Amino acid sequence: MIIAESKPLAEIAALIKNARKILLVGCGGCVSVCLAGGEKETGILASELRMLRQVEGNPLETIEVTLTRQCDPEYVEMLANHLTEDIDCIVSLACGVGVQFLAERYQKWVVPALNTKFAGGTVEHGVWEERCGLCGECILYKTGGICPIIRCSKSILNGPCGGSQNGKCEINPDTPCAWQLIYDRLQALDKLDLLLELEPLKDWSQSRDGGPRKVVREDVKLD
Amino acid sequence: MNNFEPQIIAFCCFYCAYSAADLAGSMRLQYPANIRIIEMPCSGKTDERVLLEAFEQGADGVYVLGCLEGDCHFLKGNYRAKRRVNKIKKILDEIGIGGERLEMYNLSAAMGPRFAEIAREFTERIRKLGPSPVKANNCLPGAAARLENT
Amino acid sequence: MKTASKLEKILSQGHFVVSGEVGPPKHANAEEIIEHTVMLKDYVDALNLTDNQTAIVRLSSIAAGVHVLQAGGEPIIQMTTRDRNRIALQSDLLGAYSLGIKNVLCLSGDHQSFGNHPAAKNVYDVDSLQLIKIVKDLRDEKRFSCGEELKSNEPRFFIGAAANPFADPFEFRVIRLEKKINAGADFIQTQAIFDMDRFERFMAMVRERDLHKKAHIIAGVMPIKSARAARYMQKSVAGMIVPEAIINRIEQASDPKAEGVAICVEQIKHLKTIEGVAGVHIMAVMWEDIIPTIVREAGLYPRPQL
């Protein structure tokens, strides 16, 4: 899923400082699961902002709506009923995708309440880690299911580099060396021969480097 | 300021503090009438939103009473309550309300006198701090329109 | 001879090579580089010019290499894949060769988080092995990394790569070295050696695979000025092993600097006896003027004249 975390309250407050009434939009997708932008977090943020403005003597009116997802037009459409004239600003608690979907659909100023961090998963309650670099051309079959592109600090495809010591990456003693992990796993699976061949240059045009990407499936299009 | 009587909400775990409050009553122990007790099935059930709502609705101080560490009926509820309280304290600092208006205490069902002591101690603290800035700025916000998942 | 490199010539004649290292300055004046070159050129066969080492912005290694060349030295430009994509790397290779540079050392480079621009975006379009292959293909296949032909005037670099016998996993280090040699590395410079036992084990594995016959392996040494510096490298520099015994020797010495030089000279003399070691690379960081003393005391002076 997409992992996100809340922007600092002061930053969000600054983004809406001229608004008197805001619509806070939570998202029931990934950011609900990673406890950053679901219904509960939307409620908390609304309460924080209201009190902050109350203390400043400049009360803020809030409306809270949590959509099933902000990355599907069907759900984004459901916001239309709540968007009255007097709303000065929409605060989206979705990832960057949701923020943009709202901005594309509605003629209102939309600001993000979250920083979208990475594609990852929950390793323990309250701890999320990055796993996928979204490079557009998966090579996990070559590396024992461990992605060097996102888990190696240098994204090197022929690792490990000289900075790998005691299983850790040189950038941080808490960061495991992805190539040590790959090596250990391939060794355990008796597939170390996969590491003998030089991995050629990667085609980054499949990644973001090729420009904004699009997936089109003619078979599932409706018209 | 001397006439200020703070409004204080105490979220009390059913297994310890709520019984301790009972015991304090039976023992005829004096504690300030400023405390409004809310019974919780466990201190760990005290959601962040509830804590914030208490302040938003005009509380000058809020505290959470949970079982002694290691004694939670649900094993870890009181530890979780403590983490949440610490998080909300930071938020209150950021908002300008002040984290010292929120506290977490641990006690057992047998500690009636301690219950009364905490109530006195905390009321004194809030009395010194004065009214919550949320309330001081008058006009409690109308209940925020909360629209459920559409 | 694959190239017109002086370093290649000396190595291929079987001389025990000595290379040194110059860190380009954090300003736009080349005086220091020229001074160091003049001071060192009779004591070393080639000089490495680091490429923004530890990710700190410095005068470019190619420009520094040209200064070395003009001052009569033989430059080895280091080239990291941290800051340039395949377009910029190949462009700079063409440019460097046009300026007379004949040796390049291909590296991935220190991560930018170590340097003075930790907010920088890294590139890592290619890794060090892929860069070796790019340089080799430009030279031997006369084509760019995209496959397009380079019709004439291809850059003919003598290709270097790094090996770190002190990084992990140890068993894989020799295999990775072999991958680098297969990719096109002609010479190898190793990380600074302090743990001689581990290096001996590494070289035994190198000989088992005949790698010393496929590329020239130049062993890295580093004179240490003080026990504090040694301790720092032991604790804080990733991919380095500094045994306690060496630190103790420097700590107990009445003249730590002299002891540091003595240790380095001993190491060089020992390395000369290891089969497959083709030379030494003296990394005297911020202590370049000690290199002549070390070279003399190690019995490596005078250097062969071509």
Side-chain angles (χ1 to χ4, degrees), chain B residues 83-112:
Chain B
R83 284 171 193 266
R84 284 182 205 138
V85 164
N86 286 337
K87 179 190 160 194
I88 300 295
K89 278 164 89 75
K90 285 196 193 112
I91 290 174
L92 294 174
D93 279 334
E94 280 184 80
I95 293 175
I97 293 175
E100 66 278 13
R101 290 183 185 273
L102 174 66
E103 208 53 72
M104 166 100 194
Y105 297 96
N106 301 87
L107 77 180
S108 79
M111 294 164 87

Side-chain angles (χ1 to χ4, degrees), chain B residues 1 12 14 22 30 35 40-41 62 64-65 81 83 96 99 103 105 108-109 118-119 126 130 133 138 142 144:
Chain B
M1 195 57 82
C12 294
F14 165 79
D22 247 0
Q30 292 289 322
I35 315 291
M40 302 300 285
V62 175
V64 179
L65 291 175
R83 284 171 193 266
E103 208 53 72
Y105 297 96
S108 79
I118 290 168
I126 302 301
N138 206 355

Side-chain angles (χ1 to χ4, degrees), chain C residues 102-240:
Chain C
K102 302 282 192 286
N103 312 293
V104 60
L105 184 77
C106 305
L107 304 166
S108 61
D110 296 312
H111 194 266
Q112 74 277 7
S113 60
F114 292 107
N116 58 358
H117 291 71
K121 188 175 191 295
N122 64 32
V123 179
Y124 292 120
D125 174 24
V126 307
D127 64 27
S128 57
L129 282 91
Q130 294 165 338
L131 177 58
I132 294 167
K133 183 82 164 52
I134 288 175
V135 185
K136 184 182 161 59
D137 285 351
L138 283 170
R139 184 187 71 194
D140 296 345
E141 309 297 325
K142 297 186 180 49
R143 54 179 174 77
F144 293 101
S145 71
C146 59
E148 196 179 300
E149 195 190 346
L150 204 166
K151 292 200 173 63
S152 61
N153 294 304
E154 76 280 6
R156 303 199 59 80
F157 282 105
F158 190 47
I159 307 167
N164 185 0
F166 309 103
D168 291 318
F170 180 62
E171 328 75 73
F172 191 65
R173 286 293 143 189
V174 173
I175 299 170
R176 190 156 186 265
L177 173 62
E178 186 167 16
K179 281 177 81 170
K180 286 190 173 184
I181 292 170
N182 290 342
D186 301 309
F187 71 98
I188 305 295
Q189 290 178 321
T190 77
Q191 172 68 289
I193 300 158
F194 294 104
D195 184 344
M196 198 56 80
D197 291 342
R198 180 152 160 157
F199 184 66
E200 293 256 29
R201 276 185 282 140
F202 178 79
M203 283 307 295
M205 289 157 80
V206 165
R207 288 191 299 271
E208 252 171 55
R209 293 172 170 264
D210 269 347
L211 301 182
H212 61 306
K213 293 175 184 162
K214 296 175 185 164
H216 307 280
I217 296 169
I218 302 170
V221 291
M222 184 185 280
I224 301 181
K225 263 183 174 173
S226 66
R228 207 167 57 94
R231 190 67 74 191
Y232 172 78
M233 281 187 288
Q234 184 191 46
K235 298 263 182 276
S236 310
V237 180
M240 217 172 216

Side-chain angles (χ1 to χ4, degrees), chain C:
Chain C
M1 294 280 291
K2 297 172 187 167
T3 72
S5 156
K6 185 182 144 203
L7 176 66
E8 183 185 10
K9 199 164 190 186
I10 297 174
L11 281 164
S12 62
Q13 287 175 357
H15 296 290
F16 191 80
V17 147
V18 180
S19 58
E21 191 159 304
V22 173
K26 288 169 77 175
H27 53 63
N29 185 314
E31 263 172 47
E32 250 174 80
I33 303 170
I34 295 164
E35 275 169 28
H36 281 139
T37 307
V38 170
M39 175 180 75
L40 297 175
K41 66 178 180 182
D42 294 331
Y43 293 91
V44 299
D45 304 308
L47 273 175
N48 281 44
L49 287 316
T50 51
D51 177 9
N52 299 302
Q53 82 267 29
T54 61
I56 288 171
V57 174
R58 290 168 183 279
L59 191 145
S60 94
S61 64
I62 294 173
V66 173
H67 291 301
V68 168
L69 207 57
Q70 287 169 350
E74 167 82 350
I76 301 172
I77 54 155
Q78 300 195 355
M79 190 172 241
T80 73
T81 61
R82 178 191 57 223
D83 312 321
R84 282 166 286 187
N85 68 7
R86 62 191 79 174
I87 301 170
L89 289 167
Q90 292 179 103
S91 165
D92 280 354
L93 284 166
L94 300 183
Y97 195 78
S98 78
L99 290 165
I101 291 163
K102 302 282 192 286
N103 312 293
V104 60
L105 184 77
C106 305
L107 304 166
S108 61
D110 296 312
H111 194 266
Q112 74 277 7
S113 60
F114 292 107
N116 58 358
H117 291 71
K121 188 175 191 295
N122 64 32
V123 179
Y124 292 120
D125 174 24
V126 307
D127 64 27
S128 57
L129 282 91
Q130 294 165 338
L131 177 58
I132 294 167
K133 183 82 164 52
I134 288 175
V135 185
K136 184 182 161 59
D137 285 351
L138 283 170
R139 184 187 71 194
D140 296 345
E141 309 297 325
K142 297 186 180 49
R143 54 179 174 77
F144 293 101
S145 71
C146 59
E148 196 179 300
E149 195 190 346
L150 204 166
K151 292 200 173 63
S152 61
N153 294 304
E154 76 280 6
R156 303 199 59 80
F157 282 105
F158 190 47
I159 307 167
N164 185 0
F166 309 103
D168 291 318
F170 180 62
E171 328 75 73
F172 191 65
R173 286 293 143 189
V174 173
I175 299 170
R176 190 156 186 265
L177 173 62
E178 186 167 16
K179 281 177 81 170
K180 286 190 173 184
I181 292 170
N182 290 342
D186 301 309
F187 71 98
I188 305 295
Q189 290 178 321
T190 77
Q191 172 68 289
I193 300 158
F194 294 104
D195 184 344
M196 198 56 80
D197 291 342
R198 180 152 160 157
F199 184 66
E200 293 256 29
R201 276 185 282 140
F202 178 79
M203 283 307 295
M205 289 157 80
V206 165
R207 288 191 299 271
E208 252 171 55
R209 293 172 170 264
D210 269 347
L211 301 182
H212 61 306
K213 293 175 184 162
K214 296 175 185 164
H216 307 280
I217 296 169
I218 302 170
V221 291
M222 184 185 280
I224 301 181
K225 263 183 174 173
S226 66
R228 207 167 57 94
R231 190 67 74 191
Y232 172 78
M233 281 187 288
Q234 184 191 46
K235 298 263 182 276
S236 310
V237 180
M240 217 172 216
I241 298 177
V242 185
E244 207 55 36
I246 287 185
I247 299 178
N248 287 342
R249 261 184 76 176
I250 297 174
E251 249 165 13
Q252 283 155 16
S254 53
D255 184 350
K257 282 189 181 181
E259 191 67 14
V261 171
I263 292 171
C264 188
V265 169
E266 278 170 38
Q267 285 169 334
I268 294 173
K269 287 181 173 168
H270 183 91
L271 288 165
K272 271 185 85 170
T273 67
I274 299 176
E275 189 194 345
V277 174
V280 284
H281 177 58
I282 305 170
M283 289 172 266
V285 185
M286 308 291 287
W287 198 14
E288 287 85 355
D289 54 2
I290 199 65
I291 292 178
T293 311
I294 293 172
V295 174
R296 280 177 187 278
E297 288 184 18
L300 296 170
Y301 186 81
R303 302 305 311 146
Q305 298 299 312
L306 294 181

Side-chain angles (χ1 to χ4, degrees), chain A residues 14-85:
Chain A
L15 294 176
I16 58 151
K17 66 177 190 295
N18 296 323
R20 303 169 73 91
K21 183 172 180 180
I22 60 170
L23 174 63
L24 293 116
V25 190
C27 178
C30 312
V31 295
S32 270
V33 184
C34 71
L35 311 177
E39 190 182 356
K40 176 174 171 176
E41 292 77 25
T42 306
I44 291 172
L45 178 61
S47 179
E48 287 170 2
L49 290 172
R50 283 194 304 267
M51 280 197 276
L52 186 76
R53 293 280 289 263
Q54 189 71 27
V55 170
E56 287 173 354
N58 178 22
L60 175 75
E61 204 180 325
T62 62
I63 298 177
E64 297 159 37
V65 182
T66 297
L67 301 176
T68 304
R69 278 196 298 280
Q70 289 187 30
C71 54
D72 266 318
E74 291 88 336
Y75 298 115
V76 170
E77 199 55 42
M78 291 178 182
L79 211 56
N81 303 332
H82 307 295
L83 260 180
T84 49
E85 273 295 302

